[in-house]
Amino acid sequence: MDVKTVLQFAATTRGLSLLIQALLNAAIPDHEADAFTPPRAEEPRLLDPAVQWFLGGLSHWDAEHFLFIAERGYLYEHNYAFFPLFPVILRGLAETILRPLSGCLTLRGRLLLAVALGNSALFLLSVVALYGLGRVVLQDRRLALVSSLLYCLTPANVFMTAGYSESLFAALTFGGLFLLERGYTFRACLALSIATAARANGLVNVGFLLHNKCLHYTWIIARLLFTAALGTAVIALPFLVFQYYGYRVFCTPSLSLEQVSPALIQLAEDKGYRVPDENAPPPLWCLRPLPLLYSHIQDVYWDVGFLRYFQLKQIPNFLLALPMATLGMAAAYMYYRANPTRCLRLGLWDGGANKRPDKPTPGFYSPRVFLYVVHATMLLGFGTFCMHVQVLTRFLSSSSPVPFWISAHLLLLYEPLLQRRSPPTYNKGQQRGTPRTVFLYLPQNPIVHLLSRWKTCSIPTRWILGYFISYWLMGLALHCNFLPWT
């Protein structure tokens, strides 16, 4: 029943997201942003104007890179900041399921349809994976349900809907972690490895595998080390292969400019984009001891580096990221206050005479949550000090369940509407004075229940739901009209 509720709510929010972004994109003129806008490869066909009107808002900002790669492949140097799995999926959908529409839709039009259909399906998979992960890790049905429903209203909603790889990465990451928690190590490594083919921060998921193996007995340490090393290699392999591919393309090029469309060459000249050319000297990054194209792109094209974003003009972006950062810091602080000994022992073992491993504490303070809090805190620290800080919202929302677990924990802790007790039930023949059991009452969809009773909700509930819904809507309005967002 819970899975059905979550799926229905997720499907509803996906449909609303597509509808609202289309209406807002039509009502608000697009901002003329200095963003990547390559020339179109084909003349529009019969249905292209309609698809562009309804789904054009999903193609802005970084989505244009993914669509360009899906349509034309990797050409410009900075395209290599975007990993290949998502463009491959889009092109696969466009050339298979959507192929019958090729008579009335260009490839770009079919790719836009693939974005809407593919990301909607991937989001549904990610929410089911998050619910399953919550049931296993939290051992608390109420908390798993509320956190999954909150995820359907994620502040990073527009990036889960538009032509970005966030929904894909979330589905693979949450699914891989669920498999790992259930003991399916090899399957988990495969899922997390595929996630690394979607986003570079999938490499961080290696920590879950390594910590999981450290929890076992020392008499099988050699086998565990081998498994951990093999799993690490599997997870990192897509990243390494993609970097090697980029090295071969730019450092030992076999492409001449005569093979590239003149319009794309002109765009490269106008914008200063680098194109591989067998007649030109290799770029300087090829001569480094560790020639990583991804690091070069982040440094040169996006100016990503330690404390580089700490400028007065970036204060609005820090304010945009503040709510998500606050949730991350609150999660770390509250978990440490509840489990200081476990945190100091790095979650590897619990001490004390009252230790009961057979009945671990359920809920957010469960021992199994420790590693997820550490993972989220590391992402928060890295995103704050080394990235464009406004990216924190989608960075954490697609990589960690912790923002949703801590939000649901706070709702269940401070919202009286979710703390009502159901009428007691009695065994047959039992006197009315001795109830058999009393359950905490939880509506079928607690989030809809709270929204319908907004005026009677507690202050913490209004803050949390207000943050989720306002970012959910503002992202659709701003991002889909080429206005700056997270």
Side-chain angles (χ1 to χ4, degrees):
M1 182 62 72
D2 285 352
V3 174
K4 182 179 178 181
T5 299
V6 167
L7 278 174
Q8 288 176 340
F9 195 51
T12 301
T13 59
R14 293 311 89 204
L16 285 174
S17 295
L18 291 173
L19 178 61
I20 292 172
Q21 68 83 27
L23 296 176
L24 292 174
N25 193 33
I28 303 173
D30 280 356
H31 173 65
E32 293 186 9
D34 183 20
F36 180 63
T37 51
R40 297 291 175 256
E42 303 174 79
E43 289 296 321
R45 297 177 187 168
L46 178 64
L47 295 181
D48 278 293
V51 171
Q52 180 63 31
W53 183 90
F54 190 71
L55 301 176
L58 306 182
S59 66
H60 294 165
W61 297 110
D62 288 354
E64 193 63 72
H65 289 275
F66 286 112
L67 291 169
F68 177 83
I69 295 165
E71 186 174 7
R72 303 181 187 241
Y74 286 92
L75 176 64
Y76 303 122
E77 187 178 58
H78 66 292
N79 290 150
Y80 286 78
F82 305 93
F83 279 46
L85 182 59
F86 186 59
V88 167
I89 291 175
L90 293 182
R91 186 61 180 261
L93 290 173
E95 298 290 6
T96 54
I97 297 175
L98 301 174
R99 183 71 180 178
L101 299 176
S102 59
C104 52
L105 272 179
T106 60
L107 176 56
R108 172 159 179 107
R110 285 179 281 136
L111 288 172
L112 278 176
L113 277 178
V115 166
L117 297 175
N119 271 347
S120 296
L122 288 166
F123 187 87
L124 296 182
L125 290 175
S126 69
V127 74
V128 171
L130 177 62
Y131 176 75
L133 180 63
R135 288 300 303 265
V136 174
V137 174
L138 302 170
Q139 295 292 306
D140 186 326
R141 171 191 161 267
R142 301 171 77 243
L143 189 54
L145 174 61
V146 175
S147 59
S148 300
L149 294 171
L150 280 172
Y151 175 74
C152 297
L153 297 175
T154 171
N157 170 58
V158 68
F159 302 103
M160 300 292 191
T161 309
Y164 283 63
S165 58
E166 266 71 7
S167 285
L168 171 63
F169 185 74
L172 290 167
T173 298
F174 297 156
L177 295 177
F178 169 74
L179 292 171
L180 189 62
E181 292 288 350
R182 292 294 303 270
Y184 302 113
T185 303
F186 180 71
R187 298 179 195 176
C189 288
L190 286 180
L192 297 176
S193 174
I194 299 171
T196 308
R199 295 186 63 85
N201 55 297
L203 289 170
V204 185
N205 292 328
V206 167
F208 289 99
L209 175 69
L210 297 178
H211 189 273
N212 180 272
K213 293 304 173 187
C214 289
L215 294 175
H216 292 74
Y217 298 107
T218 56
W219 61 272
I220 52 171
I221 191 68
R223 177 186 170 192
L224 296 177
L225 285 175
F226 174 77
T227 305
L230 181 61
T232 300
V234 169
I235 294 172
L237 183 62
F239 177 85
L240 298 175
V241 169
F242 188 52
Q243 296 312 297
Y244 177 71
Y245 172 70
Y247 176 85
R248 290 297 303 270
V249 168
F250 282 95
C251 301
T252 58
S254 59
L255 180 73
S256 64
L257 297 184
E258 289 76 16
Q259 300 171 262
V260 182
S261 165
L264 297 179
I265 294 296
Q266 187 60 50
L267 178 65
E269 293 176 355
D270 294 342
K271 296 290 187 177
Y273 301 152
R274 178 183 287 276
V275 179
D277 183 6
E278 63 181 357
N279 299 315
L284 293 177
W285 64 266
C286 293
L287 306 177
R288 294 175 182 172
L290 188 61
L292 283 179
L293 176 55
Y294 185 77
S295 300
H296 166 74
I297 293 171
Q298 294 295 329
D299 177 37
V300 173
Y301 290 92
W302 274 269
D303 194 30
V304 170
F306 184 62
L307 297 183
R308 290 188 187 179
Y309 224 57
F310 279 65
Q311 306 172 31
L312 288 177
K313 66 180 181 180
Q314 302 299 347
I315 288 178
N317 287 322
F318 277 89
L319 293 177
L320 272 178
L322 184 60
M324 182 58 70
T326 301
L327 285 177
M329 291 185 291
Y333 175 76
M334 293 175 67
Y335 193 88
Y336 177 79
R337 284 291 303 270
N339 302 288
T341 303
R342 182 180 303 129
C343 294
L344 293 175
R345 297 183 183 193
L346 303 181
L348 295 177
W349 68 90
D350 285 318
N354 295 325
K355 174 187 172 185
R356 298 184 65 183
D358 55 323
K359 292 185 178 181
T361 305
F364 183 73
Y365 299 129
S366 165
R368 300 173 83 164
V369 176
F370 168 79
L371 189 56
Y372 293 86
V373 173
V374 172
H375 173 255
T377 305
M378 290 177 60
L379 294 180
L380 173 61
F382 182 79
T384 301
F385 294 106
C386 301
M387 294 172 57
H388 293 185
V389 72
Q390 70 270 24
V391 177
L392 267 181
T393 303
R394 59 186 171 102
F395 185 54
L396 281 174
S397 295
S398 63
S399 305
S400 172
V402 169
F404 308 102
W405 287 350
I406 185 62
S407 299
H409 173 73
L410 293 172
L411 287 182
L412 292 172
L413 188 63
Y414 293 113
E415 179 48 63
L417 292 175
L418 299 182
Q419 295 173 356
R420 295 177 181 175
R421 295 183 177 274
S422 63
T425 58
Y426 299 86
N427 291 319
K428 186 177 181 180
Q430 190 176 18
Q431 294 184 0
R432 301 289 295 179
T434 56
R436 184 181 68 185
T437 185
V438 177
F439 296 99
L440 283 174
Y441 169 74
L442 192 68
Q444 183 176 356
N445 190 321
I447 301 304
V448 172
H449 178 75
L450 293 176
L451 292 175
S452 65
R453 292 161 177 78
W454 179 263
K455 292 184 179 180
T456 60
C457 290
S458 65
I459 296 299
T461 297
R462 294 188 188 186
W463 276 102
I464 293 171
L465 292 183
Y467 163 55
F468 275 67
I469 294 174
S470 62
Y471 271 54
W472 194 85
L473 292 173
M474 285 194 299
L476 294 173
L478 297 177
H479 179 91
C480 294
N481 288 285
F482 253 133
L483 292 163
W485 188 235
T486 63

